Amino acid sequence: MLTWKDIINFTVNGNPSPDRRVEKSEAEWKALLTDEQYRITRLKGTERAHTGEHCTTYEEGKYNCICCQNPLFDSTIKFSSGTGWPSFTQPITSNAIKYEKDTAYGMVRVEVMCNTCDAHLGHVFPDGPEPSRLRYCVNSESMILDPKSTS
């Protein structure tokens, strides 16, 4: 289980290696994504609070990166944070997410990105529920829900 100390360590000493890399030109990303998905994932945008498709979705499945389909989060660790964005306590694997210090807008935060394609997902904070105390605050537009098989 990742902790805040692990997250800070990644921002200072480097991220875990991804299982694979996906790299595309800006033109390829623009052709693949909607305008809003492109703005959020490639230009580090943010959707308005309480507007994202996955804010109140609690269906079973895996939340994958909208850009490269890399599995990011499992529905079993999603929780209602009341912040207006989908929130998770842990990534699906320790190397699914890339972490960088973000000092934009006069704040110090930790940005989370897909470790496979560098898509901006959102931020992680140390104010989540036990036992990890992590809250991954993620834009709905950066993920797609892949429902689990019911058979």
Side-chain angles (χ1 to χ4, degrees):
M1 174 185 311
L2 293 175
T3 65
W4 186 245
K5 183 178 178 181
D6 297 322
I7 303 306
I8 297 303
N9 184 51
F10 290 145
T11 66
V12 173
N13 298 315
N15 290 284
S17 296
D19 292 336
R20 65 186 176 97
R21 288 288 301 159
V22 171
E23 296 182 16
K24 296 182 183 295
S25 69
E26 290 308 303
E28 289 172 310
W29 287 126
K30 282 183 178 180
L32 178 70
L33 303 167
T34 67
D35 289 346
E36 186 70 350
Q37 289 166 343
Y38 181 83
R39 183 185 71 79
I40 289 170
T41 62
R42 308 322 302 178
L43 302 177
K44 300 181 185 282
T46 301
E47 62 200 14
R48 286 191 344 246
H50 304 286
T51 63
E53 172 186 3
H54 301 302
C55 285
T56 56
T57 301
Y58 290 92
E59 296 174 40
E60 290 186 3
K62 290 182 174 46
Y63 290 85
N64 297 341
C65 176
I66 196 71
C67 295
C68 70
Q69 304 303 310
N70 181 46
L72 301 169
F73 303 100
D74 190 276
S75 62
T76 60
I77 48 83
K78 187 173 189 240
F79 71 99
S80 178
S81 66
T83 62
W85 289 274
S87 297
F88 303 87
T89 58
Q90 290 285 305
I92 204 159
T93 61
S94 62
N95 69 341
I97 303 292
K98 180 178 182 177
Y99 306 88
E100 286 188 4
K101 182 179 179 180
D102 177 2
T103 58
Y105 306 109
M107 297 180 275
V108 178
R109 303 178 291 177
V110 176
E111 178 187 4
V112 291
M113 295 164 285
C114 174
N115 204 17
T116 298
C117 71
D118 299 333
H120 171 74
L121 305 172
H123 293 85
V124 62
F125 303 94
D127 61 2
E130 294 289 347
S132 74
R133 304 281 303 147
L134 296 177
R135 175 175 55 95
Y136 288 80
C137 189
V138 182
N139 291 288
S140 287
E141 289 286 340
S142 67
M143 302 180 296
I144 186 166
L145 178 62
D146 182 15
K148 290 183 179 175
S149 172
T150 56
S151 57

